[in-house]
Amino acid sequence: QVQLVESGGGLVQPGGSLRLSCAASGRIISDYFMGWFRQAPGKEREFVAASNRSGGNTYYTDSVKGRFTISRDNAKNTVYLQMNSLKPEDTAVYYCAARLGRGYSARLNGYDYWGQGTQVTVSS
């Protein structure tokens, strides 16, 4: 079992940037696909990005392509989400998740472990 803790959220103006971090403990993250999801008020939790175990393959939802980048440092047991050109519609609680399965998944039930979430607010 792996424990995940997100950090780096906050308030940012439209067009600004944030970098979220997800620190893992209990297991090494090289054992997992890692993903980021987000949930806005009144909305369902949705897929944002994912990375395979080496970081060589990445996946993004259409609304963040070209703006967000997922990366991982397996030596530090940490995954990151760099968010640029932020928009008000990016406002949400962002969650880090770990997947045991080796194939790609954008489904909530495809992930086995979850962090507590970190709030990102994009507002002028």
Side-chain angles (χ1 to χ4, degrees):
Q1 184 169 308
V2 63
Q3 294 79 46
L4 306 173
V5 179
E6 303 96 333
S7 62
L11 176 64
V12 64
Q13 295 186 58
S17 297
L18 285 173
R19 188 180 74 161
L20 306 183
S21 298
C22 174
S25 61
R27 295 287 189 276
I28 55 173
I29 65 167
S30 59
D31 289 342
Y32 302 95
F33 249 88
M34 299 297 295
W36 287 96
F37 292 75
R38 66 187 181 187
Q39 188 166 18
K43 304 293 185 181
E44 295 183 352
R45 193 171 299 187
E46 66 173 347
F47 172 78
V48 176
S51 169
N52 74 342
R53 289 161 179 79
S54 69
N57 293 317
T58 57
Y59 309 85
Y60 300 93
T61 192
D62 286 345
S63 64
V64 308
K65 287 179 180 176
R67 300 190 298 121
F68 290 12
T69 303
I70 186 171
S71 62
R72 62 198 295 161
D73 187 337
N74 287 344
K76 294 183 178 180
N77 231 28
T78 302
V79 63
Y80 305 95
L81 185 68
Q82 178 67 46
M83 305 186 295
N84 298 326
S85 301
L86 283 161
K87 304 174 181 179
E89 51 264 45
D90 295 318
T91 296
V93 177
Y94 283 71
Y95 297 89
C96 178
R99 170 172 163 79
L100 287 168
R102 291 189 175 274
Y104 161 74
S105 178
R107 297 174 59 86
L108 272 66
N109 64 8
Y111 290 78
D112 301 282
Y113 305 103
W114 294 83
Q116 84 288 354
T118 186
Q119 177 71 48
V120 172
T121 302
V122 185
S123 177
S124 59

